[in-house]
Amino acid sequence: MVRTSIEVVSVRAGEERDEDLVRELTGLWMAQRVDQGASPEAAARAVAEGRLRELLRRCDVRAWLARLEEAPVGYLIVSENPFGLAPHPEVAIEQLFVDRRVRRRGVGHALLDAVVAYAERLGAEVVATHVPTQSRDANRFFARLGFGSVVVRRVVPTATLRRKLHPEAKPELVAMLRRRRGLAPAPLRRPIG
């Protein structure tokens, strides 16, 4: 079986020579957003607002585009020291996407090769990533490559945290939530008969 070669190229927004690459990456970025449940309209709106271009212009962010037979099939975006608290340089994989039609053909590995070379140039001791708990395939992929679980990242909507910190602010809302969740004491029931 002949394996097609995968080309991985660095992408920077704002550089004229990279404009075609940015357009290709943008198409894949939209596909990834739709793949994760966003509507095509919401993905197009995010592109129109310039979120991706803005991200690709940051000096602490790097992106690579993977091509298979000259067609864009995947991308990877990383940031340096995402929290700025690590005593040593660190590279964090922010997004890794491979088109469903070409998965299991080495595209992800080729993209990660570019990240390893970049991390080594930076002197980074670790490469980190955030993987959604429910994404079984992604978790298996990263685990096979030696990524281990270090922390549990918990998130909460701002409104929920405010409510939890200050339940006295709207007691009727808290009472309603308790009823919904079955936390309120059950009403007394009369015996039948």
Side-chain angles (χ1 to χ4, degrees):
M1 179 175 165
V2 177
R3 202 160 220 206
T4 345
S5 70
I6 299 162
E7 175 190 23
V8 175
V9 292
S10 178
V11 180
R12 293 293 291 175
E15 295 187 22
E16 194 173 319
R17 66 176 179 78
D18 284 359
E19 280 309 304
D20 288 338
L21 297 175
V22 170
R23 276 192 288 281
E24 290 177 4
L25 194 147
T26 300
L28 288 171
W29 188 72
M30 288 177 61
Q32 181 261 353
R33 292 179 70 97
V34 170
D35 196 44
Q36 288 185 332
S39 69
E41 296 78 19
R45 203 169 34 253
V47 168
E49 291 170 359
R51 292 182 197 168
L52 180 61
R53 280 188 179 276
E54 184 180 315
L55 179 72
L56 294 175
R57 283 191 181 103
R58 288 181 32 192
C59 64
D60 62 333
V61 172
R62 296 287 181 273
W64 291 269
L65 177 71
R67 291 172 152 173
L68 190 60
E69 297 173 4
E70 297 190 29
V73 293
Y75 72 89
L76 187 132
I77 299 174
V78 301
S79 63
E80 299 171 28
N81 285 3
F83 300 112
L85 302 174
H88 304 287
E90 180 178 298
V91 172
I93 298 169
E94 301 293 342
Q95 292 184 358
L96 170 61
F97 176 74
V98 175
D99 187 314
R100 287 185 183 285
R101 296 169 294 192
V102 297
R103 289 184 183 162
R104 299 192 172 280
R105 292 178 61 185
V107 175
H109 284 218
L111 287 163
L112 287 170
D113 268 340
V115 171
V116 169
Y118 176 66
E120 289 171 343
R121 277 193 313 275
L122 278 180
E125 293 182 12
V126 295
V127 175
T129 188
H130 301 288
V131 184
T133 310
Q134 68 276 13
S135 182
R136 191 173 69 191
D137 290 340
N139 276 292
R140 285 180 178 169
F141 173 77
F142 284 109
R144 279 193 304 269
L145 293 171
F147 284 78
S149 182
V150 178
V151 297
V152 173
R153 182 176 181 215
R154 296 184 179 274
V155 297
V156 62
T158 308
T160 301
L161 183 57
R162 164 116 7 246
R163 204 172 44 249
K164 295 288 186 179
L165 291 171
H166 303 285
E168 70 283 354
K170 293 200 175 199
E172 66 280 357
L173 181 62
V174 173
M176 180 205 47
L177 288 172
R178 283 190 176 141
R179 278 194 308 275
R180 250 194 229 164
R181 294 185 181 133
L183 300 175
L188 294 174
R189 294 191 181 136
R190 287 190 187 158
I192 301 177

